[in-house]
Amino acid sequence: MANTAVTENQKLLSEAVIAPRPARKSRDYQQISLYKEVNPLDWEDWRWQMRNRITKLDQISQVVNLTKEEEEGIKNAKGHMAMAVTPYWATLLDPEDPACPIRRQCIPTQNESNISPYEMADPCGEDSDSPAPHLVHRYPDRVLLLATESCAMYCRHCTRRRLVGHAEKVDNSPDRCDAAIDYIRSNKKIRDVLISGGDPLTLEDEVLEDLLKKLRTIPHLEFLRLGTRVPVTLPQRITESLVSMLKKYSPLWMSIHFNHPKEITRRTKIACEMLADSGIPLGSQTVLLKGINDRPSTMRRLMHDLLKIRVRPYYIYQCDLVRGTQHFRTPVEAGINIIEKLRGHTTGYGVPTYVIDAPGGGGKIPINPNYVVSQGKGKYVLRNYEGKVYTYLE
Ligand SMILES: *Cc1c(COP(=O)(O)O)cnc(C)c1O
Ligand code: SF4
């Protein structure tokens, strides 16, 4: 009995050891010609980072050796979801390897023009569950508020690419969310508001605070949540003043979009520590992406590294059927296999829920390995993580 466990663990361990660590060329920004002259104070200024995002081919080609596919992709992305890469994120790119997981998430390729017949502009049917502008009300007791169309970086797999990354669609007017807030105020069943977008942490402190303040005046709201990728793509945004502002609106939870262990840099760790120290519980959301994080060993390392920076793995999403993302999509089996390799083998806190956000607006549906072997009258036959069979009598 013990022997099977030992061999299984040894197998997993050796897999972890031989799995190639991503070429973690932690480049110093001053080594990149584009940033040679940059003052460290500017580098640490999130507004400087936003203003100096890489959006053009001749800029990104000073950071990496572009492939033909990438060059075409950048040209074709104009008028769709454009490219935008923060200087910080640019330092994480492998200049020579087009398969670099960091690079594939931010540089468009020609693959984005391959649209499969199953793919949709709005794969989760958000637009049809919208009772007020920028609001999605799908579940009985909670809503999703799309606070902005801006992000620090545009992820090539983004499920909301119909909305984000189109400069002409950005509406940051102070009354943008007022109709949504009125709807929330008049619906007493809503106890939880998830503020997402776009990325709400690209808003100025005052704009975000104004929104939090308005929501706080609604007595039936029990807590608020922020959904963001900023601690990963623009950790400089997590400033002392932001954190002390957010602290006033406790209980406030935060879900951070992390996809690869290479994203957990020392700089991101500092940002997450500041957030956690100010009493914000942190969760992660990860999109399962082919060739990026679809190996169980990569996912396990990500989950372990998240726990070390006090982020509790929350969801792994099957990549939605968004137009032009076929090259990122794995079979569902890959996600089930990842959960199979996590559950029982590692810390329970490190096992997120694998979900498919159902096409057409069915919401998040959990997908799990099947642990029930058979079920009869008063009797469950179960298997554990090692495949051993046990019977539970009711
Ligand atoms: C994901 C999501 C939520 C929040 O779901 P939880 O499972 O509570 O995190 C709420 N509304 C919509 C439309 C969502 O997509
Ligand atoms: S940060 Fe989120 S909303 Fe913005 S592009 Fe990435 S996945 Fe899309």
Side-chain angles (χ1 to χ4, degrees), residues 124 126 129 136-139 141-145 160 192 194 225 255 285 314-315 317 357 363-364:
C124 305
E126 292 180 332
D129 270 344
V136 186
H137 191 184
R138 167 157 308 145
Y139 302 106
D141 69 341
R142 57 208 188 278
V143 289
L144 168 66
L145 180 61
R160 295 208 184 99
D192 157 17
L194 168 55
R225 301 193 244 178
S255 293
Q285 318 208 67
Y314 183 40
Y315 281 133
Y317 293 95
D357 209 333
K364 299 176 183 73

Side-chain angles (χ1 to χ4, degrees), residues 116-132:
S116 103
Y118 306 114
E119 292 179 332
M120 293 165 265
D122 178 17
C124 305
E126 292 180 332
D127 295 342
S128 47
D129 270 344
S130 179

